[in-house]
Amino acid sequence: MTATPLAITVRDVRKDFVLRHTRSMKEAFMWLIKGRRGDLSEKFTAIDDVSFDVHEGEAVALLGLNGSGKSTMLKMISGVMMPDSGLVATRGRVAGLIEVGAGFHPDLTGRDNVYLNGAILGMTASELDEKFDAIVEFSEIGQFIDTEVKFYSSGMYLRLAFAVAIHTTPDVFLVDEILAVGDEPFQKKCMDKIAELIAAGHTLVVVSHELDKVADICDRGILLEHGRKVVDGSVTDAIKRLRGED
Ligand SMILES: Nc1ncnc2c1ncn2[C@@H]1O[C@H](COP(=O)(O)OP(=O)(O)OP(=O)(O)O)[C@@H](O)[C@H]1O
């Protein structure tokens, strides 16, 4: 079988965060008189030398316990965060649902945010005019479309954000846990839409703790432990390892 072209490349990626500690006056003073030697802050490696490729049409689950680095990895793939070293590259239009409400301006109405968010995701004004009604219909926001989004519930944010993102027909679709804030019928509708996208040859990377749901839509699983890739194989193997069943 010939592989489809690459959609995502992650090569030797590392991401450190600075852990800030509260220091006593005495510690800070000693640090100053010792000529500021050493570092008052401590570094923490959230992603440690991770590499993988994702080909067009693959549906990949990024799995791991809390704090293992899944969201950090997804943010780097989406481009909202840069790695400290290594390379992350994507091909085509990328749309992500990573944080509820991210990319929305709270003082604008749902309607204005559809245009703002759609433009950020690379849609043209005429494409947005054409798809606006379908976006609102999918979101089921109804009469609240002209309400400022600061008055939306987290589920309403998700509905509108998902509706805009999916209507950009992204080549690479990134979804973090946030589907969980939607009610069950809406979650089902999103899952069906995601399945349609994959069937049409688009690429998906999803982060979720709902392992059975993830196993339904993804074939491949990448398991992270303390920022390191420990499994890259079938989603069932990755889930078994995560559950300590292998
Ligand atoms: N902006 C940041 N500044 C400092 N530390 C961060 C930052 N973002 C993430 N971290 C840390 O990096 C580690 C990995 O976080 P990340 O959110 O990627 O984990 P996760 O696997 O998605 O976890 P969860 O399942 O709980 O959502 C955590 O220890 C977290 O505290």
Side-chain angles (χ1 to χ4, degrees), residues 6-228:
L6 281 178
I8 303 168
T9 294
V10 173
R11 189 73 61 239
D12 306 324
V13 166
R14 186 184 175 94
K15 182 74 191 174
D16 293 329
F17 290 117
V18 176
L19 289 180
R20 297 194 191 284
H21 296 299
T22 310
R23 303 285 175 185
S24 67
M25 284 293 283
K26 185 178 162 197
E27 277 175 301
F29 181 69
M30 292 304 286
W31 177 70
L32 273 175
I33 60 169
K34 282 181 179 164
R36 302 178 191 225
R37 251 185 293 125
D39 203 343
L40 264 186
S41 54
E42 201 183 315
K43 269 195 181 157
F44 162 80
T45 302
I47 294 291
D48 194 358
D49 199 20
V50 170
S51 299
F52 58 86
D53 287 330
V54 178
H55 289 263
E56 277 176 17
E58 278 194 281
V60 181
L62 261 184
L63 304 171
L65 299 178
N66 290 135
S68 53
K70 305 178 296 296
S71 300
T72 304
M73 192 69 246
L74 209 64
K75 282 179 189 161
M76 290 192 283
I77 297 172
S78 80
V80 298
M81 194 181 265
M82 298 300 288
D84 290 320
S85 61
L87 167 93
V88 178
T90 54
R91 186 187 165 122
R93 191 182 264 179
V94 180
L97 285 170
I98 294 186
E99 275 168 63
V100 179
F104 276 8
H105 193 296
D107 292 329
L108 295 179
T109 62
R111 181 183 300 273
D112 291 340
N113 270 298
V114 168
Y115 278 88
L116 177 69
N117 206 229
I120 292 171
L121 293 175
M123 285 164 101
T124 61
S126 58
E127 208 178 341
L128 275 158
D129 285 339
E130 193 190 305
K131 291 184 175 167
F132 183 81
D133 290 344
I135 291 172
V136 178
E137 196 190 322
F138 187 92
S139 73
E140 299 167 32
I141 288 289
Q143 58 181 347
F144 297 104
I145 195 67
D146 290 310
T147 300
E148 292 160 32
V149 301
K150 63 184 169 200
F151 299 118
Y152 279 17
S153 66
S154 51
M156 288 164 77
Y157 262 110
L158 162 70
R159 283 164 172 269
L160 204 57
F162 187 94
V164 175
I166 205 84
H167 282 85
T168 65
T169 37
D171 299 297
V172 176
F173 195 37
L174 309 171
V175 186
D176 206 336
E177 204 60 81
I178 70 155
L179 281 187
V181 304
D183 56 37
E184 205 173 286
F186 191 72
Q187 275 191 32
K188 166 92 177 58
K189 192 162 138 178
C190 293
M191 289 308 217
D192 291 347
K193 205 74 185 167
I194 289 172
E196 264 176 43
L197 204 71
I198 300 165
H202 299 250
T203 310
L204 173 78
V205 182
V206 63
V207 167
S208 179
H209 293 288
E210 295 193 62
L211 303 178
D212 296 328
K213 268 192 197 157
V214 152
D216 282 345
I217 50 167
C218 298
D219 302 317
R220 179 174 162 197
I222 295 177
L223 178 64
L224 298 178
E225 270 177 20
H226 306 294
R228 286 175 170 269

